[in-house]
């Protein structure tokens, strides 16, 4: 056992003294030490129940003969951080979470880890840490929220953002807006649509790092507590068999994740997080692979915001395993991959049943024959950009219109809310990328305002920032290279005609190469928006969106 290095021998008497000070008995010290990374806090709705999940994991570990030891991980609520300077601190926490977890695990010699994340950057941050530390690890999330109900219809968080735009346009009144406030998010848990948190919790199952139901069992179900106990018990099996994250998170496992990503219609943020997790596991994901996979994977689920189903519906329909088994009819799942169950993917999904063919459509009758996410390239984004194709109105899959250029989210939001954006326009929000933001803010406010004001079928938005999983419409993000490093998005001028063809995976500004070259020669970098603190250090080290916004290692 790894912990034996710090528990036994005369030289480790001081260590045992400190364990005694913590109240651990000799029997507890003799057992495998299991670190439980709890992201419980009282500010994120998806994390307020994690104290109960943590206690259930503790019980499971102890039942199976281990010694559970809890330590914390931070988490930011993207919804609360949205639309102000706080959003600069969302993506950047992914690396803080990975780094701090590495520090705790390596400093204290744990034999295994149980990770308890739930929301947007917490899940990939902990998976990055798992791949980096590479000791036996299992993940169990806090679970999704139940959908709300407004006017007899199920709703999720995106409905509240869109209600703000509808209110500004005079489409709803004070009382109707208040109803959205009261009823949109009725329980704890990660917000109820296929947003980033739920996308990554589902993909954790696909990667093989979580047990069945990790992504879909609602937070308020007692079944979630039972799942946590099982995860606590199962980590002991992984320790005994020495099954490690890099044994599970292989190239084939990431291909499975991209495949089911397309089938589910996950958040575009998965195109940031999967490459970053893969990087830590020593696996390279080129985003061109995403289009190759998308070409052969049908989109079989339309969960909010793309459709009217929610996570509770997917859970009742059979969950992630049912989706995997449905897609496996096409023979494109790597069924030989190992998982934290101790069994292969094929063994796990063999008996999974699709119980609702409206929620999980058969591969013979998909929503579309191609996947839910598309990677585009062109003279605006030579290194790629990303769109959630499954959430785009059919009439916007091909669009051409004049650029309306803004150098920050706030200016764009002001123009949208004061009726300065017209049908046919292409809103360009730049200098919001990983370096330029810094922190690559999500643009849920402007995209929701566009939808709420009735412009979703006529207006596109492109940005070097990113989008919430709650975003729908022709919203194209992660434009790379970003404006802050002189990417072509920095060279677009007001009124330039932008041509978007999502089905052909292209995006271009109708300006000659010569003109763009002249503009590039005249371009000068902007002063950094933030020059001190963590964001300044992050900005100096972060790479482009197309790499997963991983941090570079400074050259010696």
């Amino acid at each position: 056992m790894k912990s034996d290095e710090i528990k036994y021998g005369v030289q480790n008497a001081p260590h045992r003294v400190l364990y005694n000070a913590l109240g651990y008995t000799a029997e507890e010290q003799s057992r495998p030490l299991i670190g439980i990374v709890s992201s419980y806090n009282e500010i994120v709705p998806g994390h307020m129940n994690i104290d109960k999940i943590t206690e259930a994991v503790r019980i499971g570990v102890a039942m199976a003969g281990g010694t559970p030891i809890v330590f914390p991980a931070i988490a930011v609520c993207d919804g609360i951080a949205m639309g102000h300077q706080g959003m600069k601190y969302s993506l950047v926490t992914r690396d803080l979470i990975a780094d701090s977890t590495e520090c705790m695990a390596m400093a204290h010699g744990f034999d295994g880890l149980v990770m308890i994340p739930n929301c947007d950057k917490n899940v990939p941050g902990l998976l990055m840490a798992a791949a980096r530390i590479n000791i036996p690890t299992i993940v169990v999330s806090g679970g999704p929220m139940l959908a709300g109900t407004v006017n007899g219809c199920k709703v999720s968080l995106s409905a509240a953002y869109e209600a703000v735009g509808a209110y500004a346009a005079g489409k709803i009144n004070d009382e109707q807006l208040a109803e959205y406030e009261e009823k949109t998010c009725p329980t704890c848990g990660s917000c109820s649509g296929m947003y980033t948190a739920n996308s990554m919790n589902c993909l954790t199952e696909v990667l093989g790092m979580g047990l069945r139901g990790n992504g879909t069992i609602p937070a308020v179900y007692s079944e979630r507590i039972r799942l946590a106990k099982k995860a606590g018990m199962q980590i002991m099996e992984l320790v005994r068999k020495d099954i490690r994250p890099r044994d599970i998170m292989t190239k084939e496992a990431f291909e499975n994740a991209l495949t089911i990503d397309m089938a589910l219609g996950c958040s575009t943020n998965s195109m940031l997080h999967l490459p970053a997790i893969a990087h830590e596991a020593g696996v390279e994901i080129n985003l061109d692979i995403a289009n190759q996979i998308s070409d052969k994977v049908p989109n079989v689920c339309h969960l909010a915001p793309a459709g009217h189903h929610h996570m509770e519906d997917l859970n009742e329909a059979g969950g992630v395993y049912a989706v995997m088994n449905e897609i496996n009819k096409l023979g494109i799942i790597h069924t030989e991959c190992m998982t934290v169950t101790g069994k292969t993917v094929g063994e796990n999904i063999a008996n999974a049943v699709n119980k609702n063919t409206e929620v999980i459509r058969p591969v013979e009758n998909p929503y579309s024959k191609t996947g839910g996410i598309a990677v585009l390239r062109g003279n605006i984004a030579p290194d790629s950009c990303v769109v959630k194709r499954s959430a785009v109105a059919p009439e916007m899959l091909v669009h051409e219109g004049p650029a309306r250029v803004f150098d920050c989210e706030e200016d764009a939001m002001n123009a949208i809310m004061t009726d300065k954006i017209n049908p046919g326009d292409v809103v360009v929000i730049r200098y919001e990328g990983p370096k330029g933001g810094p922190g690559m803010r999500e643009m849920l406010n402007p995209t929701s305002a566009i939808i709420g004001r009735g412009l979703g079928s006529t207006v596109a938005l492109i940005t070097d920032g990113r989008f919430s999983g709650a975003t729908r419409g022709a919203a194209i993000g992660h434009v790379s290279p970003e404006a802050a490093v002189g990417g072509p998005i920095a060279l677009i001028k007001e009124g330039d005609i932008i041509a978007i063809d999502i089905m052909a995976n292209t995006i271009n500004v109708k300006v000659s190469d010569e003109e763009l070259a002249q503009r590039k020669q005249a371009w000068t970098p902007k002063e950094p928006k933030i020059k001190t603190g963590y964001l300044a250090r992050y900005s100096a080290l972060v790479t482009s969106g197309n790499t997963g916004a991983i941090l570079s290692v400074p050259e010696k």
Side-chain angles (χ1 to χ4, degrees):
M1 291 293 170
K2 184 177 178 64
S3 63
D4 289 353
E5 298 173 4
I6 60 173
K7 290 190 301 190
Y8 299 119
V10 173
Q11 73 278 9
N12 286 326
H15 296 156
R16 294 192 292 275
V17 166
L18 294 171
Y19 278 110
N20 290 338
L22 286 163
Y24 290 112
T25 65
E27 291 80 4
E28 287 175 300
Q29 292 180 46
S30 70
R31 297 170 183 166
L33 304 184
I34 306 300
I36 301 175
V37 194
S38 172
S39 57
Y40 167 76
N41 64 45
E42 296 182 343
I43 189 62
V44 184
H47 291 231
M48 63 180 286
N49 67 317
I50 283 179
D51 56 342
K52 295 177 177 58
I53 303 298
T54 301
E55 183 57 30
V57 170
R58 283 175 58 94
I59 291 170
V61 170
M63 286 171 62
T67 298
I69 303 174
V70 178
F71 64 90
I74 64 168
V76 162
C77 177
D78 276 31
I80 294 173
M82 196 74 65
H84 61 96
Q85 293 299 303
M87 182 46 71
K88 293 180 184 291
Y89 287 88
S90 173
L91 178 62
V92 305
T93 64
R94 188 184 71 180
D95 294 277
L96 275 177
I97 292 162
D99 292 349
S100 60
T101 302
E102 174 194 359
C103 290
M104 289 294 289
M106 299 307 292
H108 298 106
F110 292 118
D111 298 305
L113 294 171
V114 182
M115 297 178 161
I116 312 176
N118 211 25
C119 288
D120 293 29
K121 311 309 162 308
N122 199 248
V123 184
L126 288 178
L127 285 170
M128 288 166 66
R132 188 186 302 173
I133 301 164
N134 201 35
I135 62 174
T137 301
I138 191 170
V139 176
V140 57
S141 76
M145 184 184 291
L146 294 179
T149 303
V150 176
N151 297 325
C153 297
K154 283 186 177 182
V155 295
S156 55
L157 180 65
S158 53
Y161 281 91
E162 291 172 14
V164 172
Y167 180 84
K171 295 182 178 183
I172 62 173
N173 58 30
D174 289 336
E175 291 76 17
Q176 290 169 307
L177 181 61
E179 186 175 11
Y180 279 98
E181 290 182 29
E182 291 293 326
K183 297 182 178 180
T184 296
C185 292
T187 74
C188 64
S190 49
C191 295
S192 58
M194 188 53 78
Y195 305 153
T196 306
N198 292 327
S199 295
M200 294 309 301
N201 282 322
C202 287
L203 295 179
T204 296
E205 273 189 68
V206 182
L207 280 170
M209 288 298 294
L211 298 176
R212 182 175 187 170
N214 177 75
T216 60
I217 298 170
V220 295
Y221 284 13
S222 298
E223 186 181 0
R224 174 64 56 178
I225 300 296
R226 297 198 298 272
L227 181 73
K229 290 178 181 176
K230 290 176 182 176
M233 296 169 70
Q234 185 60 22
I235 187 60
M236 296 305 298
E237 189 69 13
L238 295 174
V239 169
R240 279 190 283 271
K241 293 182 176 178
D242 196 29
I243 297 174
R244 301 176 181 230
R246 290 194 184 190
D247 299 326
I248 294 168
M249 290 193 281
T250 61
K251 178 176 182 289
E252 291 76 18
F254 282 102
E255 288 178 0
N256 283 346
L258 284 168
T259 296
I260 301 304
D261 190 338
M262 299 301 168
L264 286 170
C266 290
S267 163
T268 52
N269 282 316
S270 64
M271 293 295 104
L272 280 174
H273 300 321
L274 287 176
I277 299 163
H279 174 75
E280 296 290 354
V283 175
E284 182 182 349
I285 293 181
N286 184 310
L287 287 188
D288 289 328
I289 297 173
N291 280 345
Q292 294 168 16
I293 291 174
S294 181
D295 286 343
K296 58 185 178 182
V297 179
N299 177 223
V300 298
C301 294
H302 262 195
L303 279 74
H308 300 296
H309 299 133
H310 295 79
M311 294 305 297
E312 62 207 65
D313 302 313
L314 179 60
N315 187 62
E316 295 304 317
V320 173
Y321 278 16
V323 176
M324 294 178 74
N325 208 24
E326 188 66 42
I327 296 301
N328 195 40
K329 291 178 182 177
L330 301 174
I332 54 176
I333 298 290
H334 296 288
T335 56
E336 74 286 357
C337 293
M338 178 52 62
T339 73
V340 292
T341 67
K343 299 178 180 178
T344 65
V345 166
E347 291 173 308
N348 287 341
I349 69 175
N351 297 316
V353 177
N354 181 358
K355 300 176 182 178
N356 188 330
T357 55
E358 285 301 311
V359 176
I360 305 171
R361 286 199 175 179
V363 291
E364 299 84 7
N365 181 36
Y367 284 100
S368 65
K369 293 182 179 180
T370 54
I373 292 177
V375 175
L376 315 183
R377 291 182 187 268
N379 65 359
I380 292 174
D383 289 344
S384 79
C385 56
V386 179
V387 63
K388 188 171 183 175
R389 179 164 51 195
S390 60
V392 178
E395 58 270 31
M396 289 298 291
L397 290 171
V398 178
H399 180 75
E400 190 170 303
R404 305 297 308 280
V405 182
F406 305 94
D407 286 351
C408 66
E409 177 190 0
E410 289 81 1
D411 289 350
M413 190 66 181
N414 180 64
I416 295 165
M417 296 299 282
T418 55
D419 294 321
K420 293 178 182 175
I421 301 300
N422 305 308
D425 285 349
V426 178
V427 176
V428 178
I429 305 178
R430 61 194 184 188
Y431 294 100
E432 291 286 7
K435 282 186 179 292
M440 207 178 185
R441 288 195 288 178
E442 287 184 346
M443 302 294 159
L444 181 57
N445 274 354
T447 56
S448 296
I450 287 170
I451 296 290
R453 297 179 79 82
L455 297 171
S457 61
T458 58
V459 170
L461 187 151
I462 69 172
T463 180
D464 52 8
R466 60 194 178 90
F467 296 111
S468 164
T471 290
R472 62 188 176 106
I476 299 167
H478 311 187
V479 171
S480 302
E482 63 176 288
V485 298
I489 191 173
L491 311 178
I492 298 172
K493 292 185 177 180
E494 185 82 7
D496 283 349
I497 300 300
I498 293 177
I500 300 165
D501 190 335
I502 293 172
M503 298 312 294
N505 301 320
T506 62
I507 181 168
N508 290 287
V509 58
K510 289 192 160 183
V511 172
S512 69
D513 292 345
E514 291 77 15
E515 172 65 17
L516 284 176
Q518 290 175 10
R519 293 182 187 181
K520 180 61 182 287
Q521 197 168 24
W523 176 81
T524 55
K526 287 184 176 291
E527 279 287 310
K529 294 177 184 176
I530 295 177
K531 300 179 181 180
T532 60
Y534 179 59
L535 286 181
R537 296 196 299 275
Y538 180 86
S539 180
L541 294 175
V542 71
T543 58
S544 179
N546 68 296
T547 68
I550 60 174
L551 300 186
S552 62
V553 177
E555 294 183 5
K556 294 181 180 180

